[in-house]
Amino acid sequence: MTQVPAGPDAAARVDALADELRAQGHLSDPRIRDALHAVPRHMFAPDRGWCAPDGPGPRRTIDRVADPGVWWDAVYSDASIVTQAADGAADPAAGVAEATSSLSAPGAVVAFLELLDVRPGDHVLEIGTGTGWTAALLTALGADVTTVEIDPAVAAGAEEALTVAGFEVRVLVGDGSYGVPGSGVFDSVHVTCGVTRIPYAWVQQTRPGGRIVAPWMPEFGEGHKVLLTVTDDGRAIGRLMGTANFMMLRAQRGALRVPDDMAGATETTTRLDPRRVVSDDYGADAAITGTLPDVMAASESGVRRFELVLADVAGTSWARVRRTGGAEHRVLQAGPRRLWEEVADAYLRWVGWGRPERSRFGMALGSDGQVIWRDDPSNVITP
């Protein structure tokens, strides 16, 4: 990574980006605005990468040498910039292979920093170093940061950028699922990669009253920001706080697999529209995944077709639900479980609750695993 000197309008670009984020409802803490100035984003941006805006805007290759104007505009926009693809085996600037590391979009970074509410002197454990930009922002906010990155090359690049930018951060190479064994406790844990299950090691390494913020990416539906507070009895409890979409923690990557061969599948019909089930509301997503944490979903759509694909994590059962133009939709299922019926029942139970929105759902995590609750931690959603 070539370190780029600040352009004559770097401070103005930071202010313009900060104003944009504030207009979106982020950046309520003036300390974070100061941190954005103290940690210029361009110092952590790659010379070449794939720019992927969180909102409207073209997805495209950016190249500092070939087109510096486009590069600067992208770096100071609310867009993520892919810095690694296929775990280093593909060109990250091509926008083709799976993105496996990035300079996260400022809006997403700021939203999680505000949830973390870091205080000067806090000891913060960061899971997923990436380019090092977020670790530098945490340091600028007064935290003592230990960050863990599983990819040695990514960690080396981040450590170099942090050193050049003048930030002292402890960068470790390892599987962040385990935290930092033997390092004592932290005041908070900041997670920059998606997780389906919150590792209990993070709870064990956070002092009572400490916060854990993470992009929770369940098997079904959209991802959610989750803010957990650690209790004095070794649990962590909190609410879902908004949408999140991050690259997965490597230890928790998964893929939905359904056989192409439909032999042995049972065919039925349903009056429930599968498109409605997967796109109705974030609250429905929380209710369904809370009831069925091991059911994976994906959808395939075209101009005149929509198909919902379901599979369980164990690989024993699957379902395909194809929307038709009539009153009945086609259902194909195989395996010991009737996954479509399970998902439909969970969705209709949410409807029967009065369609509660996402903010009414939360997570509780202990040594025995994690559960989702509605309205109160004692009201756990069960199958």
PDB file of all heavy atoms in Angstrom, residues 251-289:
ATOM      1  N   ALA A 251     -14.124 -18.188  10.357  1.00  0.00           N
ATOM      2  CA  ALA A 251     -14.482 -19.412  11.060  1.00  0.00           C
ATOM      3  C   ALA A 251     -15.966 -19.727  10.957  1.00  0.00           C
ATOM      4  O   ALA A 251     -16.386 -20.846  11.260  1.00  0.00           O
ATOM      5  CB  ALA A 251     -14.079 -19.304  12.533  1.00  0.00           C
ATOM      6  N   GLN A 252     -16.765 -18.751  10.521  1.00  0.00           N
ATOM      7  CA  GLN A 252     -18.208 -18.972  10.456  1.00  0.00           C
ATOM      8  C   GLN A 252     -18.766 -18.835   9.038  1.00  0.00           C
ATOM      9  O   GLN A 252     -19.968 -18.688   8.858  1.00  0.00           O
ATOM     10  CB  GLN A 252     -18.927 -18.007  11.407  1.00  0.00           C
ATOM     11  CG  GLN A 252     -18.624 -18.267  12.864  1.00  0.00           C
ATOM     12  CD  GLN A 252     -19.515 -17.479  13.799  1.00  0.00           C
ATOM     13  OE1 GLN A 252     -20.553 -16.953  13.419  1.00  0.00           O
ATOM     14  NE2 GLN A 252     -19.102 -17.391  15.050  1.00  0.00           N
ATOM     15  N   ARG A 253     -17.920 -18.889   8.052  1.00  0.00           N
ATOM     16  CA  ARG A 253     -18.429 -18.858   6.689  1.00  0.00           C
ATOM     17  C   ARG A 253     -19.236 -20.122   6.409  1.00  0.00           C
ATOM     18  O   ARG A 253     -18.884 -21.213   6.837  1.00  0.00           O
ATOM     19  CB  ARG A 253     -17.278 -18.794   5.684  1.00  0.00           C
ATOM     20  CG  ARG A 253     -16.559 -17.459   5.626  1.00  0.00           C
ATOM     21  CD  ARG A 253     -15.422 -17.562   4.631  1.00  0.00           C
ATOM     22  NE  ARG A 253     -14.627 -16.349   4.569  1.00  0.00           N
ATOM     23  CZ  ARG A 253     -13.477 -16.257   3.921  1.00  0.00           C
ATOM     24  NH1 ARG A 253     -12.990 -17.326   3.304  1.00  0.00           N
ATOM     25  NH2 ARG A 253     -12.807 -15.118   3.903  1.00  0.00           N
ATOM     26  N   GLY A 254     -20.306 -19.946   5.663  1.00  0.00           N
ATOM     27  CA  GLY A 254     -21.121 -21.096   5.280  1.00  0.00           C
ATOM     28  C   GLY A 254     -21.678 -20.876   3.895  1.00  0.00           C
ATOM     29  O   GLY A 254     -21.633 -19.774   3.351  1.00  0.00           O
ATOM     30  N   ALA A 255     -22.216 -21.918   3.336  1.00  0.00           N
ATOM     31  CA  ALA A 255     -22.804 -21.815   1.999  1.00  0.00           C
ATOM     32  C   ALA A 255     -24.040 -22.692   1.930  1.00  0.00           C
ATOM     33  O   ALA A 255     -24.046 -23.824   2.426  1.00  0.00           O
ATOM     34  CB  ALA A 255     -21.795 -22.235   0.935  1.00  0.00           C
ATOM     35  N   LEU A 256     -25.089 -22.145   1.343  1.00  0.00           N
ATOM     36  CA  LEU A 256     -26.322 -22.896   1.178  1.00  0.00           C
ATOM     37  C   LEU A 256     -26.168 -23.826  -0.017  1.00  0.00           C
ATOM     38  O   LEU A 256     -25.864 -23.378  -1.127  1.00  0.00           O
ATOM     39  CB  LEU A 256     -27.500 -21.936   0.970  1.00  0.00           C
ATOM     40  CG  LEU A 256     -28.901 -22.539   0.951  1.00  0.00           C
ATOM     41  CD1 LEU A 256     -29.909 -21.507   1.457  1.00  0.00           C
ATOM     42  CD2 LEU A 256     -29.301 -22.973  -0.455  1.00  0.00           C
ATOM     43  N   ARG A 257     -26.365 -25.108   0.238  1.00  0.00           N
ATOM     44  CA  ARG A 257     -26.230 -26.096  -0.832  1.00  0.00           C
ATOM     45  C   ARG A 257     -27.521 -26.903  -0.956  1.00  0.00           C
ATOM     46  O   ARG A 257     -27.971 -27.517   0.006  1.00  0.00           O
ATOM     47  CB  ARG A 257     -25.054 -27.029  -0.562  1.00  0.00           C
ATOM     48  CG  ARG A 257     -23.698 -26.339  -0.579  1.00  0.00           C
ATOM     49  CD  ARG A 257     -22.570 -27.323  -0.341  1.00  0.00           C
ATOM     50  NE  ARG A 257     -21.265 -26.692  -0.443  1.00  0.00           N
ATOM     51  CZ  ARG A 257     -20.658 -26.084   0.555  1.00  0.00           C
ATOM     52  NH1 ARG A 257     -21.248 -26.028   1.736  1.00  0.00           N
ATOM     53  NH2 ARG A 257     -19.472 -25.523   0.391  1.00  0.00           N
ATOM     54  N   VAL A 258     -28.074 -26.891  -2.145  1.00  0.00           N
ATOM     55  CA  VAL A 258     -29.278 -27.661  -2.456  1.00  0.00           C
ATOM     56  C   VAL A 258     -28.983 -28.482  -3.700  1.00  0.00           C
ATOM     57  O   VAL A 258     -28.470 -27.945  -4.691  1.00  0.00           O
ATOM     58  CB  VAL A 258     -30.488 -26.743  -2.702  1.00  0.00           C
ATOM     59  CG1 VAL A 258     -31.686 -27.543  -3.158  1.00  0.00           C
ATOM     60  CG2 VAL A 258     -30.825 -25.965  -1.435  1.00  0.00           C
ATOM     61  N   PRO A 259     -29.260 -29.779  -3.679  1.00  0.00           N
ATOM     62  CA  PRO A 259     -28.950 -30.601  -4.852  1.00  0.00           C
ATOM     63  C   PRO A 259     -29.755 -30.184  -6.073  1.00  0.00           C
ATOM     64  O   PRO A 259     -30.902 -29.757  -5.969  1.00  0.00           O
ATOM     65  CB  PRO A 259     -29.328 -32.017  -4.390  1.00  0.00           C
ATOM     66  CG  PRO A 259     -30.297 -31.819  -3.272  1.00  0.00           C
ATOM     67  CD  PRO A 259     -29.876 -30.555  -2.596  1.00  0.00           C
ATOM     68  N   ASP A 260     -29.113 -30.279  -7.235  1.00  0.00           N
ATOM     69  CA  ASP A 260     -29.819 -30.002  -8.482  1.00  0.00           C
ATOM     70  C   ASP A 260     -30.820 -31.106  -8.817  1.00  0.00           C
ATOM     71  O   ASP A 260     -31.836 -30.866  -9.464  1.00  0.00           O
ATOM     72  CB  ASP A 260     -28.818 -29.853  -9.636  1.00  0.00           C
ATOM     73  CG  ASP A 260     -27.920 -28.640  -9.465  1.00  0.00           C
ATOM     74  OD1 ASP A 260     -28.405 -27.638  -8.900  1.00  0.00           O
ATOM     75  OD2 ASP A 260     -26.756 -28.701  -9.874  1.00  0.00           O
ATOM     76  N   ASP A 261     -30.506 -32.309  -8.394  1.00  0.00           N
ATOM     77  CA  ASP A 261     -31.381 -33.449  -8.658  1.00  0.00           C
ATOM     78  C   ASP A 261     -32.596 -33.387  -7.737  1.00  0.00           C
ATOM     79  O   ASP A 261     -32.461 -33.415  -6.518  1.00  0.00           O
ATOM     80  CB  ASP A 261     -30.597 -34.741  -8.438  1.00  0.00           C
ATOM     81  CG  ASP A 261     -31.412 -35.983  -8.787  1.00  0.00           C
ATOM     82  OD1 ASP A 261     -32.554 -35.828  -9.272  1.00  0.00           O
ATOM     83  OD2 ASP A 261     -30.901 -37.092  -8.568  1.00  0.00           O
ATOM     84  N   MET A 262     -33.779 -33.282  -8.299  1.00  0.00           N
ATOM     85  CA  MET A 262     -35.002 -33.175  -7.509  1.00  0.00           C
ATOM     86  C   MET A 262     -35.618 -34.540  -7.199  1.00  0.00           C
ATOM     87  O   MET A 262     -36.711 -34.617  -6.645  1.00  0.00           O
ATOM     88  CB  MET A 262     -36.037 -32.326  -8.263  1.00  0.00           C
ATOM     89  CG  MET A 262     -35.560 -30.925  -8.575  1.00  0.00           C
ATOM     90  SD  MET A 262     -35.231 -29.986  -7.078  1.00  0.00           S
ATOM     91  CE  MET A 262     -34.570 -28.474  -7.760  1.00  0.00           C
ATOM     92  N   ALA A 263     -34.924 -35.619  -7.559  1.00  0.00           N
ATOM     93  CA  ALA A 263     -35.472 -36.960  -7.318  1.00  0.00           C
ATOM     94  C   ALA A 263     -35.716 -37.172  -5.834  1.00  0.00           C
ATOM     95  O   ALA A 263     -34.879 -36.841  -4.994  1.00  0.00           O
ATOM     96  CB  ALA A 263     -34.502 -38.010  -7.850  1.00  0.00           C
ATOM     97  N   GLY A 264     -36.861 -37.693  -5.521  1.00  0.00           N
ATOM     98  CA  GLY A 264     -37.208 -37.972  -4.140  1.00  0.00           C
ATOM     99  C   GLY A 264     -37.876 -36.828  -3.411  1.00  0.00           C
ATOM    100  O   GLY A 264     -38.294 -36.977  -2.261  1.00  0.00           O
ATOM    101  N   ALA A 265     -37.988 -35.674  -4.070  1.00  0.00           N
ATOM    102  CA  ALA A 265     -38.627 -34.526  -3.433  1.00  0.00           C
ATOM    103  C   ALA A 265     -40.144 -34.682  -3.442  1.00  0.00           C
ATOM    104  O   ALA A 265     -40.729 -35.267  -4.361  1.00  0.00           O
ATOM    105  CB  ALA A 265     -38.243 -33.245  -4.148  1.00  0.00           C
ATOM    106  N   THR A 266     -40.760 -34.159  -2.414  1.00  0.00           N
ATOM    107  CA  THR A 266     -42.220 -34.143  -2.318  1.00  0.00           C
ATOM    108  C   THR A 266     -42.732 -32.810  -2.833  1.00  0.00           C
ATOM    109  O   THR A 266     -42.222 -31.753  -2.452  1.00  0.00           O
ATOM    110  CB  THR A 266     -42.663 -34.331  -0.859  1.00  0.00           C
ATOM    111  OG1 THR A 266     -42.165 -35.574  -0.366  1.00  0.00           O
ATOM    112  CG2 THR A 266     -44.178 -34.301  -0.747  1.00  0.00           C
ATOM    113  N   GLU A 267     -43.748 -32.858  -3.689  1.00  0.00           N
ATOM    114  CA  GLU A 267     -44.302 -31.620  -4.243  1.00  0.00           C
ATOM    115  C   GLU A 267     -45.669 -31.330  -3.630  1.00  0.00           C
ATOM    116  O   GLU A 267     -46.550 -32.188  -3.590  1.00  0.00           O
ATOM    117  CB  GLU A 267     -44.433 -31.703  -5.765  1.00  0.00           C
ATOM    118  CG  GLU A 267     -44.951 -30.407  -6.373  1.00  0.00           C
ATOM    119  CD  GLU A 267     -44.876 -30.376  -7.880  1.00  0.00           C
ATOM    120  OE1 GLU A 267     -44.249 -31.285  -8.469  1.00  0.00           O
ATOM    121  OE2 GLU A 267     -45.449 -29.434  -8.484  1.00  0.00           O
ATOM    122  N   THR A 268     -45.807 -30.103  -3.123  1.00  0.00           N
ATOM    123  CA  THR A 268     -47.076 -29.632  -2.582  1.00  0.00           C
ATOM    124  C   THR A 268     -47.294 -28.201  -3.068  1.00  0.00           C
ATOM    125  O   THR A 268     -46.534 -27.705  -3.896  1.00  0.00           O
ATOM    126  CB  THR A 268     -47.083 -29.665  -1.038  1.00  0.00           C
ATOM    127  OG1 THR A 268     -45.994 -28.864  -0.552  1.00  0.00           O
ATOM    128  CG2 THR A 268     -46.942 -31.084  -0.515  1.00  0.00           C
ATOM    129  N   THR A 269     -48.301 -27.548  -2.542  1.00  0.00           N
ATOM    130  CA  THR A 269     -48.542 -26.141  -2.876  1.00  0.00           C
ATOM    131  C   THR A 269     -48.774 -25.345  -1.592  1.00  0.00           C
ATOM    132  O   THR A 269     -49.030 -25.905  -0.518  1.00  0.00           O
ATOM    133  CB  THR A 269     -49.770 -25.981  -3.790  1.00  0.00           C
ATOM    134  OG1 THR A 269     -50.932 -26.480  -3.107  1.00  0.00           O
ATOM    135  CG2 THR A 269     -49.574 -26.711  -5.110  1.00  0.00           C
ATOM    136  N   THR A 270     -48.657 -24.037  -1.720  1.00  0.00           N
ATOM    137  CA  THR A 270     -48.914 -23.133  -0.594  1.00  0.00           C
ATOM    138  C   THR A 270     -49.592 -21.875  -1.101  1.00  0.00           C
ATOM    139  O   THR A 270     -49.337 -21.424  -2.219  1.00  0.00           O
ATOM    140  CB  THR A 270     -47.602 -22.758   0.119  1.00  0.00           C
ATOM    141  OG1 THR A 270     -47.886 -21.868   1.201  1.00  0.00           O
ATOM    142  CG2 THR A 270     -46.624 -22.068  -0.831  1.00  0.00           C
ATOM    143  N   ARG A 271     -50.439 -21.313  -0.274  1.00  0.00           N
ATOM    144  CA  ARG A 271     -51.079 -20.045  -0.623  1.00  0.00           C
ATOM    145  C   ARG A 271     -50.261 -18.859  -0.130  1.00  0.00           C
ATOM    146  O   ARG A 271     -50.500 -17.724  -0.539  1.00  0.00           O
ATOM    147  CB  ARG A 271     -52.491 -19.994  -0.017  1.00  0.00           C
ATOM    148  CG  ARG A 271     -53.455 -21.022  -0.606  1.00  0.00           C
ATOM    149  CD  ARG A 271     -54.778 -21.014   0.117  1.00  0.00           C
ATOM    150  NE  ARG A 271     -55.426 -19.698   0.043  1.00  0.00           N
ATOM    151  CZ  ARG A 271     -56.438 -19.322   0.808  1.00  0.00           C
ATOM    152  NH1 ARG A 271     -56.914 -20.134   1.730  1.00  0.00           N
ATOM    153  NH2 ARG A 271     -56.962 -18.127   0.661  1.00  0.00           N
ATOM    154  N   LEU A 272     -49.317 -19.126   0.757  1.00  0.00           N
ATOM    155  CA  LEU A 272     -48.489 -18.057   1.299  1.00  0.00           C
ATOM    156  C   LEU A 272     -47.427 -17.675   0.279  1.00  0.00           C
ATOM    157  O   LEU A 272     -46.688 -18.530  -0.221  1.00  0.00           O
ATOM    158  CB  LEU A 272     -47.839 -18.514   2.599  1.00  0.00           C
ATOM    159  CG  LEU A 272     -46.944 -17.512   3.331  1.00  0.00           C
ATOM    160  CD1 LEU A 272     -47.724 -16.264   3.720  1.00  0.00           C
ATOM    161  CD2 LEU A 272     -46.321 -18.163   4.564  1.00  0.00           C
ATOM    162  N   ASP A 273     -47.316 -16.393  -0.030  1.00  0.00           N
ATOM    163  CA  ASP A 273     -46.369 -15.906  -1.017  1.00  0.00           C
ATOM    164  C   ASP A 273     -44.949 -15.946  -0.443  1.00  0.00           C
ATOM    165  O   ASP A 273     -44.657 -15.247   0.539  1.00  0.00           O
ATOM    166  CB  ASP A 273     -46.741 -14.470  -1.407  1.00  0.00           C
ATOM    167  CG  ASP A 273     -45.920 -13.922  -2.560  1.00  0.00           C
ATOM    168  OD1 ASP A 273     -44.858 -14.502  -2.871  1.00  0.00           O
ATOM    169  OD2 ASP A 273     -46.331 -12.900  -3.148  1.00  0.00           O
ATOM    170  N   PRO A 274     -44.033 -16.738  -1.022  1.00  0.00           N
ATOM    171  CA  PRO A 274     -42.663 -16.810  -0.472  1.00  0.00           C
ATOM    172  C   PRO A 274     -41.932 -15.476  -0.554  1.00  0.00           C
ATOM    173  O   PRO A 274     -41.075 -15.187   0.289  1.00  0.00           O
ATOM    174  CB  PRO A 274     -42.005 -17.876  -1.351  1.00  0.00           C
ATOM    175  CG  PRO A 274     -42.780 -17.858  -2.634  1.00  0.00           C
ATOM    176  CD  PRO A 274     -44.198 -17.567  -2.218  1.00  0.00           C
ATOM    177  N   ARG A 275     -42.255 -14.667  -1.535  1.00  0.00           N
ATOM    178  CA  ARG A 275     -41.620 -13.356  -1.658  1.00  0.00           C
ATOM    179  C   ARG A 275     -41.965 -12.479  -0.466  1.00  0.00           C
ATOM    180  O   ARG A 275     -41.132 -11.728   0.042  1.00  0.00           O
ATOM    181  CB  ARG A 275     -42.070 -12.696  -2.962  1.00  0.00           C
ATOM    182  CG  ARG A 275     -41.395 -11.382  -3.267  1.00  0.00           C
ATOM    183  CD  ARG A 275     -41.828 -10.868  -4.629  1.00  0.00           C
ATOM    184  NE  ARG A 275     -43.289 -10.718  -4.706  1.00  0.00           N
ATOM    185  CZ  ARG A 275     -43.933 -10.287  -5.789  1.00  0.00           C
ATOM    186  NH1 ARG A 275     -43.256 -10.007  -6.887  1.00  0.00           N
ATOM    187  NH2 ARG A 275     -45.243 -10.167  -5.781  1.00  0.00           N
ATOM    188  N   ARG A 276     -43.189 -12.583   0.014  1.00  0.00           N
ATOM    189  CA  ARG A 276     -43.614 -11.807   1.181  1.00  0.00           C
ATOM    190  C   ARG A 276     -42.853 -12.248   2.420  1.00  0.00           C
ATOM    191  O   ARG A 276     -42.453 -11.426   3.254  1.00  0.00           O
ATOM    192  CB  ARG A 276     -45.121 -11.983   1.380  1.00  0.00           C
ATOM    193  CG  ARG A 276     -45.682 -11.372   2.642  1.00  0.00           C
ATOM    194  CD  ARG A 276     -45.702  -9.869   2.581  1.00  0.00           C
ATOM    195  NE  ARG A 276     -46.592  -9.374   1.547  1.00  0.00           N
ATOM    196  CZ  ARG A 276     -46.765  -8.084   1.279  1.00  0.00           C
ATOM    197  NH1 ARG A 276     -46.081  -7.181   1.961  1.00  0.00           N
ATOM    198  NH2 ARG A 276     -47.577  -7.701   0.312  1.00  0.00           N
ATOM    199  N   VAL A 277     -42.629 -13.542   2.559  1.00  0.00           N
ATOM    200  CA  VAL A 277     -41.977 -14.078   3.756  1.00  0.00           C
ATOM    201  C   VAL A 277     -40.564 -13.530   3.911  1.00  0.00           C
ATOM    202  O   VAL A 277     -40.134 -13.198   5.017  1.00  0.00           O
ATOM    203  CB  VAL A 277     -41.964 -15.622   3.703  1.00  0.00           C
ATOM    204  CG1 VAL A 277     -41.103 -16.193   4.834  1.00  0.00           C
ATOM    205  CG2 VAL A 277     -43.382 -16.159   3.787  1.00  0.00           C
ATOM    206  N   VAL A 278     -39.834 -13.405   2.801  1.00  0.00           N
ATOM    207  CA  VAL A 278     -38.428 -12.994   2.898  1.00  0.00           C
ATOM    208  C   VAL A 278     -38.220 -11.492   2.752  1.00  0.00           C
ATOM    209  O   VAL A 278     -37.102 -11.007   2.951  1.00  0.00           O
ATOM    210  CB  VAL A 278     -37.560 -13.729   1.854  1.00  0.00           C
ATOM    211  CG1 VAL A 278     -37.549 -15.215   2.133  1.00  0.00           C
ATOM    212  CG2 VAL A 278     -38.034 -13.446   0.440  1.00  0.00           C
ATOM    213  N   SER A 279     -39.252 -10.742   2.421  1.00  0.00           N
ATOM    214  CA  SER A 279     -39.054  -9.303   2.209  1.00  0.00           C
ATOM    215  C   SER A 279     -40.039  -8.435   2.977  1.00  0.00           C
ATOM    216  O   SER A 279     -40.112  -7.230   2.739  1.00  0.00           O
ATOM    217  CB  SER A 279     -39.169  -8.972   0.709  1.00  0.00           C
ATOM    218  OG  SER A 279     -40.471  -9.273   0.229  1.00  0.00           O
ATOM    219  N   ASP A 280     -40.765  -9.014   3.911  1.00  0.00           N
ATOM    220  CA  ASP A 280     -41.810  -8.266   4.595  1.00  0.00           C
ATOM    221  C   ASP A 280     -41.247  -7.214   5.538  1.00  0.00           C
ATOM    222  O   ASP A 280     -41.538  -6.027   5.425  1.00  0.00           O
ATOM    223  CB  ASP A 280     -42.714  -9.236   5.362  1.00  0.00           C
ATOM    224  CG  ASP A 280     -44.017  -8.589   5.805  1.00  0.00           C
ATOM    225  OD1 ASP A 280     -43.990  -7.398   6.161  1.00  0.00           O
ATOM    226  OD2 ASP A 280     -45.055  -9.248   5.808  1.00  0.00           O
ATOM    227  N   ASP A 281     -40.405  -7.625   6.505  1.00  0.00           N
ATOM    228  CA  ASP A 281     -39.972  -6.708   7.551  1.00  0.00           C
ATOM    229  C   ASP A 281     -38.762  -7.306   8.260  1.00  0.00           C
ATOM    230  O   ASP A 281     -38.635  -8.529   8.371  1.00  0.00           O
ATOM    231  CB  ASP A 281     -41.116  -6.488   8.549  1.00  0.00           C
ATOM    232  CG  ASP A 281     -40.834  -5.383   9.535  1.00  0.00           C
ATOM    233  OD1 ASP A 281     -41.164  -4.226   9.234  1.00  0.00           O
ATOM    234  OD2 ASP A 281     -40.294  -5.678  10.616  1.00  0.00           O
ATOM    235  N   TYR A 282     -37.872  -6.434   8.760  1.00  0.00           N
ATOM    236  CA  TYR A 282     -36.733  -6.930   9.529  1.00  0.00           C
ATOM    237  C   TYR A 282     -37.191  -7.644  10.800  1.00  0.00           C
ATOM    238  O   TYR A 282     -36.512  -8.549  11.291  1.00  0.00           O
ATOM    239  CB  TYR A 282     -35.806  -5.775   9.894  1.00  0.00           C
ATOM    240  CG  TYR A 282     -35.155  -5.116   8.702  1.00  0.00           C
ATOM    241  CD1 TYR A 282     -35.359  -3.766   8.422  1.00  0.00           C
ATOM    242  CD2 TYR A 282     -34.325  -5.845   7.853  1.00  0.00           C
ATOM    243  CE1 TYR A 282     -34.756  -3.150   7.331  1.00  0.00           C
ATOM    244  CE2 TYR A 282     -33.722  -5.236   6.760  1.00  0.00           C
ATOM    245  CZ  TYR A 282     -33.946  -3.894   6.502  1.00  0.00           C
ATOM    246  OH  TYR A 282     -33.349  -3.290   5.418  1.00  0.00           O
ATOM    247  N   GLY A 283     -38.331  -7.238  11.331  1.00  0.00           N
ATOM    248  CA  GLY A 283     -38.868  -7.926  12.496  1.00  0.00           C
ATOM    249  C   GLY A 283     -39.229  -9.363  12.176  1.00  0.00           C
ATOM    250  O   GLY A 283     -39.021 -10.270  12.993  1.00  0.00           O
ATOM    251  N   ALA A 284     -39.760  -9.595  10.976  1.00  0.00           N
ATOM    252  CA  ALA A 284     -40.071 -10.956  10.559  1.00  0.00           C
ATOM    253  C   ALA A 284     -38.796 -11.782  10.445  1.00  0.00           C
ATOM    254  O   ALA A 284     -38.748 -12.954  10.852  1.00  0.00           O
ATOM    255  CB  ALA A 284     -40.821 -10.943   9.228  1.00  0.00           C
ATOM    256  N   ASP A 285     -37.738 -11.167   9.889  1.00  0.00           N
ATOM    257  CA  ASP A 285     -36.453 -11.869   9.806  1.00  0.00           C
ATOM    258  C   ASP A 285     -35.984 -12.311  11.188  1.00  0.00           C
ATOM    259  O   ASP A 285     -35.537 -13.448  11.376  1.00  0.00           O
ATOM    260  CB  ASP A 285     -35.386 -10.954   9.191  1.00  0.00           C
ATOM    261  CG  ASP A 285     -35.598 -10.701   7.708  1.00  0.00           C
ATOM    262  OD1 ASP A 285     -36.457 -11.371   7.099  1.00  0.00           O
ATOM    263  OD2 ASP A 285     -34.904  -9.826   7.161  1.00  0.00           O
ATOM    264  N   ALA A 286     -36.066 -11.400  12.164  1.00  0.00           N
ATOM    265  CA  ALA A 286     -35.617 -11.724  13.520  1.00  0.00           C
ATOM    266  C   ALA A 286     -36.457 -12.841  14.121  1.00  0.00           C
ATOM    267  O   ALA A 286     -35.931 -13.742  14.786  1.00  0.00           O
ATOM    268  CB  ALA A 286     -35.674 -10.479  14.401  1.00  0.00           C
ATOM    269  N   ALA A 287     -37.765 -12.793  13.908  1.00  0.00           N
ATOM    270  CA  ALA A 287     -38.655 -13.809  14.457  1.00  0.00           C
ATOM    271  C   ALA A 287     -38.386 -15.177  13.841  1.00  0.00           C
ATOM    272  O   ALA A 287     -38.370 -16.200  14.539  1.00  0.00           O
ATOM    273  CB  ALA A 287     -40.106 -13.406  14.235  1.00  0.00           C
ATOM    274  N   ILE A 288     -38.161 -15.201  12.543  1.00  0.00           N
ATOM    275  CA  ILE A 288     -37.939 -16.478  11.867  1.00  0.00           C
ATOM    276  C   ILE A 288     -36.599 -17.083  12.268  1.00  0.00           C
ATOM    277  O   ILE A 288     -36.505 -18.264  12.623  1.00  0.00           O
ATOM    278  CB  ILE A 288     -38.027 -16.301  10.339  1.00  0.00           C
ATOM    279  CG1 ILE A 288     -39.460 -15.940   9.931  1.00  0.00           C
ATOM    280  CG2 ILE A 288     -37.602 -17.591   9.623  1.00  0.00           C
ATOM    281  CD1 ILE A 288     -39.607 -15.507   8.487  1.00  0.00           C
ATOM    282  N   THR A 289     -35.532 -16.271  12.239  1.00  0.00           N
ATOM    283  CA  THR A 289     -34.224 -16.819  12.573  1.00  0.00           C
ATOM    284  C   THR A 289     -34.119 -17.144  14.061  1.00  0.00           C
ATOM    285  O   THR A 289     -33.380 -18.046  14.456  1.00  0.00           O
ATOM    286  CB  THR A 289     -33.102 -15.865  12.132  1.00  0.00           C
ATOM    287  OG1 THR A 289     -31.863 -16.583  12.094  1.00  0.00           O
ATOM    288  CG2 THR A 289     -32.955 -14.679  13.072  1.00  0.00           C
TER     289      THR A 289
END
